[in-house]
Amino acid sequence: MADSISRETLTALSELDSCSVANAIECFDVRLRNEGFTDRTIRCRLPSLPPMVGHAVTVRIRAAFPSWKGDNYLGQSDWWTNLRFGPAPQVLVIQDMDQQPGTGAFIGEVHAAILQAVGCVGAVTNGAVRGLPGIERLGFRLFSGSISVSHGYIHIVEAGGVVEVGGLRVAPGDLIHGDVHGVVRVPLDIANEIPAVAGRIREQEGRVLHYCQSPEFNLGRLRSIVASNSCGVSSDDVSRISQDLKQEN
């Protein structure tokens, strides 16, 4: 399914903010509106960087106690193969399994550079990150629950399974979008349609914004503008956009 996402779609998604992506997803009624995104515990650490889009590669980690195998986390490199052979680009999603997540940071400047070199554009974790100035210079996006000065006893417990980060469940291959607002999972079966629907919503929002600044503003007219559809796009619009995309393909 992940391979069906076109390069054009990925580029278009990277030009959208996460709020616009979330708004567009709502128009398809594929999930509840309070699902599919991270909660307030996950923060964008480098808000000056552009939006992040990629397919999830997942790991579970611990940092509070040493690994029983005694491996250093940079020595646990077998899972990097998941990045090299998965659909590009990738986003690393890391679930910190410690009772108190964030005891140590899995991602620092060196690890971010390695991950970037093998095809990863960013990382999301309920744990900690560090080395932010250097990582920002790399352009590697970071979303985390905390910041730490140390990597502690960080080690990988599992690679490749379903993880949960900030209330968001993520499976390998899921399409992830993130920016200063947070992180949202984009359903693969509607991903190619999201940019067009988001564009229609922005057109509707633009009319509202323009009218709010008009010298002829009145509440009655405003109500008629916003009453057409709560998400700014009708079900007929969504169906028409979907049909147009199918004909193009």
Side-chain angles (χ1 to χ4, degrees):
M1 182 69 73
D3 291 337
S4 67
I5 308 303
S6 69
R7 184 179 300 274
E8 291 75 17
T9 291
L10 293 171
T11 298
L13 287 171
S14 71
E15 296 170 352
L16 295 173
D17 63 87
S18 289
C19 294
S20 295
V21 173
N23 287 346
I25 293 171
E26 289 179 0
C27 294
F28 291 86
D29 292 325
V30 293
R31 68 185 180 212
L32 298 176
R33 295 189 178 189
N34 61 349
E35 296 178 350
F37 54 89
T38 53
D39 61 26
R40 62 185 177 84
T41 64
I42 306 301
R43 295 183 57 187
C44 177
R45 297 297 169 183
L46 301 172
S48 65
L49 296 181
M52 172 188 75
V53 182
H55 296 282
V57 175
T58 63
V59 295
R60 294 174 184 259
I61 64 168
R62 292 190 186 276
F65 304 99
S67 168
W68 65 272
K69 295 181 180 180
D71 291 338
N72 178 280
Y73 74 115
L74 282 176
Q76 300 169 323
S77 60
D78 290 346
W79 67 275
W80 291 347
T81 303
N82 298 344
L83 291 165
R84 293 301 299 270
F85 294 101
Q90 287 86 38
V91 170
L92 181 61
V93 185
I94 310 157
Q95 182 177 359
D96 189 326
M97 301 293 292
D98 284 334
Q99 185 174 3
Q100 183 175 330
T103 302
F106 186 75
I107 302 293
E109 183 179 4
V110 172
H111 209 164
I114 293 170
L115 293 171
Q116 189 177 61
V118 293
C120 197
V121 297
V124 184
T125 180
N126 63 320
V129 295
R130 65 177 187 162
L132 301 186
I135 294 175
E136 185 171 27
R137 287 191 292 270
L138 291 173
F140 190 84
R141 287 73 152 189
L142 281 182
F143 300 81
S144 75
S146 60
I147 299 172
S148 175
V149 299
S150 172
H151 51 67
Y153 291 108
I154 205 81
H155 61 276
I156 294 173
V157 176
E158 179 188 47
V162 176
V163 299
E164 184 169 333
V165 174
L168 176 65
R169 287 178 61 82
V170 178
D174 281 352
L175 189 62
I176 304 297
H177 189 288
D179 71 358
V180 64
H181 302 94
V183 176
V184 59
R185 187 183 70 247
V186 182
L188 290 169
D189 56 348
I190 62 170
N192 287 321
E193 301 166 63
I194 293 298
V197 172
R200 294 295 298 273
I201 294 173
R202 288 300 297 166
E203 290 177 8
Q204 173 70 7
E205 291 175 339
R207 288 194 290 272
V208 174
L209 292 171
H210 178 76
Y211 187 70
C212 285
Q213 299 172 40
S214 169
E216 300 177 357
F217 175 85
N218 69 77
L219 287 177
R221 174 58 179 158
L222 177 63
R223 290 191 181 99
S224 68
I225 292 175
V226 301
S228 58
N229 192 274
S230 60
C231 72
V233 177
S234 69
S235 58
D236 288 341
D237 288 332
V238 172
S239 297
R240 187 160 46 250
I241 290 169
S242 299
Q243 187 61 38
D244 289 345
L245 287 171
K246 288 178 182 178
Q247 291 177 354
E248 289 176 5
N249 295 328

